[in-house]
Amino acid sequence: MKILPDGRYELCLPFKSDVIELPSNKELTWKRHKKMCEGAQRNGLLDDYKAVFKELEELKIIEKIDCENETSHFLPHRPVVKTDSITTKIRPVFDASARETGNNSLNDLLYKGPNLIEQIPDIIERFRSYPVGISADIEKAFLQLGIAPEHREFLRFFYPTENEEIVYRHSRVVFGVSSSPFLLAAALSHLLEHVPAEDSEIADKLKLSFYVDNCVAGVSNAT
């Protein structure tokens, strides 16, 4: 775990072994990718899907890669549409469990980590004990956490176009990777353990109030 000059946490993927036996799955991923793009085009989603990736690139959540790397690994992805969403109507979902027959997937090689998440009944019980309730969530929580450059090679993917292999990679924690909830919980725990002394009381309350990226807490009064 590393804290960058701008305050962002940068994390490594928690591989189970120092020897990472993860073959390139570029050909398999490209076949799935072409079918995905064809389906998105038929359903009138492809242009909107591309716009999502353009925004991610502008936010430096993903980065374009021009060089080949035989040890890199690709994540297939597909668009998921939520018509009732107020903010993001379409978003990509990445498949880190994709594997070729006889080979490992990325998720197979990652340590999921201990469960650092509070139990929902405990959070609700504490919430109900206060006259004033507070609820919040961390916007794009996984995407607030950086991935160490040496591990971004395992998070490559194809930009959503079916005619050309345009390769990008993730520079932030990815939803769909099995270790991501643990990485988020570990970063939150570290952050709350290292707050200034004057904020320690608030930090102690927050430690018991998060379920993944959702915070549910309470206070005695609104002031």
Side-chain angles (χ1 to χ4, degrees):
M1 183 180 293
K2 176 181 178 182
I3 301 177
L4 301 176
D6 63 357
R8 188 182 305 280
Y9 279 72
E10 185 177 87
L11 308 163
C12 291
L13 294 175
F15 283 99
K16 296 175 182 177
S17 171
D18 292 335
V19 179
I20 303 171
E21 297 181 353
L22 192 62
S24 175
N25 61 341
K26 183 177 180 180
E27 183 177 347
L28 169 69
T29 304
W30 177 247
K31 289 179 180 178
R32 284 184 55 175
H33 179 80
K34 290 187 70 175
K35 290 182 180 179
M36 180 277 295
C37 287
E38 290 168 0
Q41 183 69 56
R42 282 196 306 270
N43 294 319
L45 298 174
L46 192 56
D47 287 342
D48 289 341
Y49 198 41
K50 288 179 180 179
V52 172
F53 284 86
K54 182 178 180 181
E55 180 183 7
L56 293 175
E57 184 176 14
E58 290 172 350
L59 294 172
K60 299 182 179 180
I61 292 169
I62 61 175
E63 53 194 18
K64 190 175 182 181
I65 297 296
D66 296 320
C67 59
E68 287 289 332
N69 188 332
E70 292 299 323
T71 62
S72 60
H73 189 76
F74 286 76
L75 302 180
H77 59 87
R78 61 184 177 86
V80 171
V81 180
K82 296 180 66 177
T83 56
D84 59 342
S85 175
I86 298 174
T87 53
T88 306
K89 299 292 185 183
I90 183 170
R91 64 182 179 88
V93 172
F94 291 85
D95 182 8
S97 294
R99 66 165 67 83
E100 293 179 313
T101 303
N103 290 325
N104 290 313
S105 70
L106 176 61
N107 278 346
D108 289 332
L109 300 185
L110 290 176
Y111 179 54
K112 293 183 180 180
N115 184 6
L116 302 178
I117 300 173
E118 282 292 305
Q119 297 296 312
I120 292 178
D122 294 339
I123 294 175
I124 293 175
E125 183 177 355
R126 286 189 290 269
F127 172 76
R128 295 179 65 184
S129 68
Y130 288 94
V132 180
I134 300 172
S135 66
D137 68 84
I138 303 173
E139 183 179 3
K140 296 181 173 64
F142 288 158
L143 301 182
Q144 306 303 327
L145 303 173
I147 289 290
E150 62 269 25
H151 281 178
R152 296 176 188 178
E153 284 301 299
F154 303 109
L155 302 173
R156 289 191 174 205
F157 63 91
F158 292 111
Y159 182 83
T161 178
E162 58 185 302
N163 299 318
E164 183 182 1
E165 293 184 0
I166 303 175
V167 179
Y168 279 74
R169 68 181 186 181
H170 293 274
S171 59
R172 306 284 176 84
V173 169
V174 181
F175 182 81
V177 173
S178 60
S179 60
S180 293
F182 164 68
L183 293 178
L184 174 60
L188 278 173
S189 177
H190 185 275
L191 175 65
L192 294 173
E193 285 287 348
H194 294 82
V195 299
E198 60 268 24
D199 296 328
S200 60
E201 184 177 350
I202 296 174
D204 288 341
K205 179 183 287 289
L206 290 174
K207 290 175 189 176
L208 301 174
S209 302
F210 270 103
Y211 184 80
V212 191
D213 58 347
N214 298 293
C215 178
V216 179
V219 292
S220 299
N221 57 71
T223 59

